[in-house]
Each structure stands twice: as structure tokens, then as C-alpha cells.
């Protein structure tokens, strides 16, 4: 409630006639109330005479937004068009339009994405008045990107600005139209932050929420693919640097975004928002580049260690043949213990005994890893029926709990003795 409304209510309450049971000695109290009533009236008159500050302009050279009148108020938009050959670092945008939806669905572990058309995806990112969410947090800048429905060769970058608090309705109306026209949403941490915040804003402004298509949250994919290798975390700027080959210059840190918007509201200074607008544009365009990268059938632009993450995720999704093909590529590009282990695990899951045995034996000769020796012991026991060889793995240590280690050892000893009795010789 505004100060004016609070004072008006207080003035109305204080002007009520005194109760009939008031005593004569209440004269001093009545005078005090009259004085208070006079002060409130004077304050209200001053507030009424004070003109509201003019709203800042956003259609300037510094803030090149275009304003449109809508039934819900003024809508402020900034639009740029990027060709399919535009690159974020070394990654072209064209791949986002040509991405394989089934591959994206597997990496996202979300089958609903398989039926979506990446050429009709909507990329979305918000800049807000706070990072904690809640009903008081407002998305004052929403960045959108989508492929031109005509040529299909142009990525349209559209940014929607809330010029002043209380002017959200036109922005939310345009956002609803874009979401409902899309085949899929693409965000980075949007499932946890952007979309819950926007749903709240639709409710707070008494607008119907849009019917949302399947949602691809790239943060979840990035954690599965790159998480083990990102020393500075799976932040979008880190993925841009290490995966896309793109380094931002003079970027605005996320912790400064809200303060810059508040400065803009207080002063109308457009320079406060310039860096925020560019920061938002980078976020949206980078997401498109990542979709193209993850949606490649061969993932030719990814490093060997990232292919390991792809292969493991495909295995988790149940696509073992694709996982094996990617693991083969990872080994070919750089035969590391990590890539060999990924391929060995996938081969074992597929029942490819020869491939699994070869890779696990190579690993055991290369690295001192108890888990590798445990896998070899299982293969020797159950696939090769060679309990004595499995016992030698146990003697070197397999990392099992003592009780499990004892049970496995006792079982293998019995099996080795049976093999010796049947064959008349001990196993090599």
C-alpha cells in the first residue's frame, strides 16, 4: 500500500466523531487528534501537488528498444537477426536448427523432447531484480531467440524490457505468445529458476499462464557431459570458454545485474543497463550454440573427455549402441584411462565380452584402480569360468567391504578346487 493510501485511511479514521461515552477530560486528546488530522491533510496536499517523475526513455541510441502500444500498456522490444553462419567462439548457430531431437532427448533423459522440432525451439533467459526468487522478484529483461519461420536461416534475438516496475503485463503477454508457438523451451537452469519465476509473475499480474512445451534445461546436460572436468563449475561462461571457445569481454557479473537495474529506475541512466542487455544476449545465443553442439550425431566438435560424458549419459539413457559408437570415438581421439573405462563399462552392459575383457585388462595394466580389478574378477568368474585368475585380482585388492570380499574369496576358492578336481590340473 502506498504512503498516500495509508495516510488517507488514517485521516479518515481520525475524523470520525468521538464516541458518546467520551468524558470531559478528553479535551486534550481531542485537540491532539485535531492537530494530527491537520498534519495528515497537509502531507496529503503536498503529495498531491508533487508530479510523478517522468519514466526513463528506452528508445535512444544507448537503449535501442522500440516501444509499441498494446491494450495492456507499452511493450519495449529490441530485435537483432543473426545468420546461421554466426559463431559463438568456434561453434556456428546453424547446428541448433539441424540438431537431432532424439539425441537431445537422450542427453536430457527426457523422452518427450524426441518429438520436438529444434527449428521451432524457443531459447529463453531472464535478468531479474534478485537471485533468490519469490513473489517480490521481477524479471525486468527477458531474452528470447527463435528461428525465423520464413527463411529458417536467421536466428531472431528478441529482448523484452520492463521499463518500470508495474509494467510487466505487456512483456508477459508477448512471452506467452512466444512460448505457446514453440515446440520446445531451451534454458540454462530454467527449470529451477527462470520458469518458476515467470509462472509466479503470471499469477501476480492475474494473467493466464502459457501452455508450456517440453523443456530442455542445458544445465542438466552440461553437468552430465562436462561436470567432472569443470574446475570452475558448470556455469554458462565456463562452458563458453572451455567448450565453445568463446571468451566474454567486459561482462557484467550476475551479482551486479539487479543493482544496475535499480540504478536505472532511480536515475534513468541508460548506460547502467547496456552491459546487462549484452550479458543477456550472450546467454541466449550461447544456448543456441550448445544445442547445435549436443545435437550432433557424431559430436565431432567435442573433445575426447567430453565424449566420455556423452557416452556415459547415452548408456544411462539405455541407448547402448550409440553409447558404444561415441565411446569408440573418445578412445580414437585420445586413449585415456577414462575413455577406456567408459568403453569397457558400455561393452559389459552390451554383453560384448571380448571388448570388455580387453579394455579392463588394458586398464588393469595401466592404472592402479581397485574398481577395475573388481570388474575383472567378475568377468573371470562369471564369463570365463576362471576362478583362479579372479582370485589373483582379489589378492591385489578390489575395494570391496571386508564381508563381501570374504564371501567372494571363499566362493572362488571352492570353484577353483572344483576346476582342479575335474581337470586334474590347476588353472593357469
Amino acid at each position: 500500500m502506498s504512503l498516500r493510501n495509508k495516510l488517507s485511511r488514517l485521516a479518515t479514521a481520525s475524523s470520525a466523531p468521538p464516541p458518546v461515552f467520551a468524558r470531559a477530560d478528553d479535551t486534550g486528546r481531542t485537540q491532539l487528534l485535531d492537530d494530527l488530522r491537520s498534519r495528515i491533510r497537509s502531507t496529503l496536499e503536498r503529495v498531491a501537488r508533487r508530479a510523478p517523475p517522468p519514466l526513463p526513455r528506452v528508445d535512444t541510441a544507448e537503449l535501442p528498444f522500440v516501444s509499441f502500444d498494446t491494450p495492456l500498456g507499452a511493450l519495449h522490444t529490441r530485435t537483432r537477426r543473426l545468420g546461421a553462419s554466426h559463431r559463438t567462439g568456434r561453434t556456428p548457430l546453424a547446428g541448433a536448427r539441424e540438431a537431432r531431437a532424439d539425441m537431445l532427448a537422450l542427453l536430457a533423459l527426457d523422452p518427450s523432447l524426441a518429438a520436438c522440432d529444434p527449428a521451432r525451439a524457443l531459447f529463453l533467459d531472464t535478468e531479474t531484480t534478485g537471485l533468490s526468487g519469490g513473489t517480490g522478484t521481477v524479471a525486468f529483461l527477458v531474452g528470447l531467440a527463435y528461428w525465423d519461420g520464413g527463411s529458417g536461416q536467421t536466428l531472431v534475438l528478441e529482448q523484452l524490457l520492463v521499463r518500470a516496475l508495474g509494467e510487466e503485463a505487456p512483456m508477459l503477454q508477448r512471452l506467452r505468445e512466444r512460448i505457446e508457438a514453440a515446440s520446445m523451451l531451451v534454458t540454462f537452469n530454467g527449470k529451477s529458476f527462470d520458469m518458476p519465476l515467470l509462472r509466479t509473475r503470471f499469477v501476480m499480474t492475474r494473467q493466464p499462464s502459457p501452455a508450456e512445451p517440453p523443456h530442455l534445461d542445458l544445465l542438466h546436460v552440461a553437468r552430465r557431459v562436462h561436470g567432472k572436468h569443470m574446475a570452475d563449475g558448470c556455469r554458462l561462461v565456463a562452458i563458453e570458454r572451455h567448450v565453445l571457445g568463446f571468451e566474454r569481454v567486459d561482462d557484467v557479473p550476475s551479482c551486479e545485474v539487479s543493482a544496475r537495474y535499480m540504478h536505472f529506475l532511480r536515475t534513468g541512466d541508460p548506460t547502467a543497463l547496456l552491459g546487462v542487455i549484452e550479458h543477456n544476449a550472450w546467454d541466449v545465443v550461447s544456448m543456441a550454440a550448445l544445442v547445435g553442439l549436443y545435437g550432433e550425431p557424431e559430436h565431432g566438435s567435442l573433445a575426447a573427455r567430453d565424449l566420455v560424458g556423452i557416452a556415459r549419459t547415452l548408456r544411462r539413457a539405455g541407448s547402448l549402441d550409440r553409447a558404444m559408437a561415441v565411446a569408440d570415438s573418445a578412445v580414437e581421439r585420445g586413449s585415456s584411462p577414462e575413455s577406456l573405462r567408459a568403453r569397457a563399462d558400455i561393452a559389459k552392459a552390451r554383453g560384448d565380452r571380448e571388448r570388455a575383457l580387453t579394455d579392463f585388462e588394458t586398464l588393469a595394466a595401466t592404472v592402479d584402480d581397485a574398481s577395475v580389478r573388481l570388474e575383472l574378477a567378475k568377468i573371470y568368474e562369471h564369463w570365463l569360468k576362471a576362478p583362479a585368475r579372479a582370485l589373483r585380482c582379489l589378492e591385489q585388492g578390489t575395494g570391496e567391504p571386508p564381508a563381501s570380499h570374504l564371501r567372494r574369496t571363499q566362493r572362488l576358492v571352492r570353484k577353483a578346487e572344483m576346476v582342479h578336481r575335474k581337470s586334474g590340473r590347476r588353472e593357469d
Side-chain angles (χ1 to χ4, degrees), residues 218-356:
L218 292 173
L219 175 60
H220 301 169
V221 177
R223 283 174 173 166
R224 297 180 190 117
V225 175
H226 316 291
K228 292 186 177 181
H229 311 296
M230 291 291 181
D232 44 358
C234 272
R235 298 180 299 120
L236 184 55
V237 291
I239 294 171
E240 289 172 348
R241 184 183 311 115
H242 297 296
V243 180
L244 300 178
F246 173 65
E247 187 78 35
R248 300 191 185 195
V249 178
D250 297 329
D251 187 30
V252 174
S254 296
C255 59
E256 293 184 11
V257 167
S258 176
R260 286 175 176 252
Y261 180 62
M262 294 306 173
H263 176 75
F264 169 74
L265 293 181
R266 288 192 305 268
T267 67
D269 178 13
T271 60
L273 285 185
L274 293 180
V276 177
I277 294 167
E278 195 65 20
H279 171 93
N280 178 257
W282 279 332
D283 284 351
V284 176
V285 176
S286 292
M287 287 190 289
L290 282 175
V291 165
L293 196 64
Y294 295 143
E296 292 180 6
E298 303 300 328
H299 305 288
S301 302
L302 288 173
R305 65 181 186 179
D306 296 322
L307 290 180
V308 172
I310 293 281
R312 287 174 172 161
T313 304
L314 292 175
R315 177 196 172 196
R316 180 178 171 186
S319 183
L320 296 180
D321 290 343
R322 286 185 175 182
M324 193 65 185
V326 175
D328 282 336
S329 297
V331 173
E332 291 169 3
R333 294 184 197 180
S335 183
S336 65
E338 188 182 30
S339 60
L340 278 173
R341 179 60 189 267
R343 187 171 71 176
D345 287 336
I346 295 167
K348 181 182 176 183
R350 296 176 73 220
D352 186 346
R353 301 183 178 187
E354 182 178 355
R355 178 78 273 166

Side-chain angles (χ1 to χ4, degrees), residues 121-127 139 141-146 157-158 160 171 174-176 178-180 182 184-191 193-198 202 210 212-213 215-218 236 280 283-285 287-288:
L122 178 68
F123 303 90
L124 182 150
D125 183 67
T126 64
E127 308 302 331
L141 181 65
V142 178
L144 306 172
Y146 47 89
L157 173 62
E158 182 180 23
L160 311 176
M171 178 274 289
R174 173 64 64 88
L175 177 60
R176 182 173 61 252
R178 297 294 186 213
I179 290 176
E180 292 182 342
M184 60 189 291
L185 278 177
V186 182
T187 66
F188 196 90
N189 197 32
K191 285 187 175 181
F193 183 76
D194 300 83
M195 291 311 298
L197 169 64
L198 291 172
F202 279 108
E212 297 178 25
H215 187 163
L216 171 61
D217 192 327
L218 292 173
L236 184 55
N280 178 257
D283 284 351
V284 176
V285 176
M287 287 190 289

